[in-house]
Amino acid sequence: MSFQSATHNPVARVASEHPAAVKLGRVGWFAKGVVYVLAGVLAILVVARSLGWTTPTAGSNEASPTGAIKEVAHKGGGPLLLVLLAIGLFLYAAWRLATAFLPGRTDAEGTATRVGYLVSAILYITFALTAISLARSPRSNADGNQKVTDITSGIMKNTGGRWLIGIIGLIVIGAGIYRLMVAKKGEVTKDVDMSGMSPERASITRLLGNIGEIGRGIAMGIIGFFLVRAAVTFNAAEATGLDGALRRLLQYSWGAALCAVVGVGFVAYGIFCLDTFMRKRLQAP
């Protein structure tokens, strides 16, 4: 997307008229990038341990965005870093909310995109709240897998709860398919101003983004699958977070390869987000 499209895209126009807003949005992308790189590394380490390789961290690390935030909590200066990370994640959520509510396309695709941005905003607000919680209590044993199971159990106790979990699972699977389609169509850079980049540099940026979307899409699909399975079997224990889903897949011969794709995809997407921050390439949501 270039600034020439600003007259047709109100969000792009706001971005061009209010550079300070773009700077805040870039901070959000930086925080998002940190979370994805760490989550990807943790996922790769889980795969390495499953293959019998010795890794520098314990096997209890949670391979997920929540696990990535917990990793920050265990570092020197963890509480301060977590607060800064939370601020960045809140800013990213605000950037996505702006995308969802400013005037724009009203057709089916445009509406679906807006809903996706709203879901994204809610997700990153959740991550930010997790960071704040861990900043207050760094030794907390917060478990993203158990949280998903507990929420699923609570919902399924209510009338129609089983159907609701199944529908949520299908929606998550649909979101994963959407991410794969974004990669297939090469639309991952629609949030980024690619003008001024050399063809080679632009190609690398697109490649990183596309690999990232593949990893994200597969991860969403896996989580959605276990949610649907929980609804079908009427067993909340089947529902789990990303870490639990990846570890379950490792029970199968093909699971390690799929988990590795998710890990590499997360790292690639994290680098894509960090590149967006470093090169000041963010244009509009």
Side-chain angles (χ1 to χ4, degrees):
M1 186 190 299
S2 68
F3 285 116
Q4 293 177 350
S5 65
T7 56
H8 303 292
N9 185 336
V11 178
R13 185 174 66 250
V14 170
S16 63
E17 294 175 353
H18 301 280
V22 175
K23 291 180 180 179
L24 292 176
R26 285 177 51 232
V27 172
W29 277 71
F30 178 82
K32 181 182 179 183
V34 170
V35 169
Y36 268 100
V37 168
L38 289 176
V41 169
L42 290 173
I44 292 172
L45 290 177
V46 168
V47 175
R49 284 190 291 270
S50 75
L51 297 176
W53 297 358
T54 301
T55 63
T57 58
S60 60
N61 293 102
E62 186 179 334
S64 68
T66 299
I69 295 171
K70 287 162 67 175
E71 281 294 302
V72 175
H74 297 153
K75 303 301 180 185
L80 175 59
L81 293 175
L82 285 170
V83 170
L84 295 176
L85 186 62
I87 291 173
L89 292 171
F90 276 130
L91 288 173
Y92 183 79
W95 183 252
R96 280 310 184 203
L97 285 173
T99 311
F101 288 112
L102 284 176
R105 294 176 56 182
T106 58
D107 58 7
E109 183 177 352
T111 300
T113 300
R114 288 171 182 273
V115 171
Y117 286 151
L118 281 173
V119 172
S120 179
I122 293 171
L123 181 63
Y124 287 99
I125 287 173
T126 301
F127 291 157
L129 292 175
T130 298
I132 291 175
S133 176
L134 286 170
R136 296 174 62 184
S137 179
R139 298 182 182 277
S140 171
N141 292 320
D143 187 328
N145 298 318
Q146 190 61 46
K147 184 180 295 184
V148 173
T149 301
D150 291 343
I151 292 174
T152 301
S153 177
I155 293 175
M156 290 206 306
K157 289 178 181 178
N158 300 305
T159 303
R162 183 179 180 183
W163 283 98
L164 179 58
I165 291 298
I167 292 171
I168 292 174
L170 291 175
I171 291 174
V172 174
I173 291 173
I177 293 173
Y178 172 75
R179 297 259 66 92
L180 294 175
M181 292 304 297
V182 168
K184 181 180 179 180
K185 295 178 181 179
E187 295 178 345
V188 70
T189 56
K190 65 181 180 180
D191 291 349
V192 183
D193 180 6
M194 302 290 284
S195 62
M197 280 190 182
S198 67
E200 295 78 11
R201 188 67 190 80
S203 178
I204 293 174
T205 296
R206 291 192 185 93
L207 179 61
L208 285 171
N210 289 334
I211 292 175
E213 292 291 17
I214 291 172
R216 295 172 76 203
I218 292 175
M220 290 179 182
I222 295 171
I223 294 172
F225 168 77
F226 283 111
L227 285 171
V228 172
R229 193 155 122 175
V232 171
T233 61
F234 204 22
N235 181 6
E238 290 290 344
T240 184
L242 177 61
D243 175 74
L246 294 178
R247 293 178 190 275
R248 289 180 186 179
L249 287 181
L250 291 174
Q251 300 173 12
Y252 305 96
S253 59
W254 45 267
L258 195 59
C259 292
V261 170
V262 171
V264 172
F266 274 23
V267 172
Y269 189 75
I271 295 173
F272 170 79
C273 294
L274 294 174
D275 178 69
T276 297
F277 169 80
M278 296 298 293
R279 293 181 173 271
K280 303 181 180 180
R281 291 293 179 183
L282 182 61
Q283 172 168 279

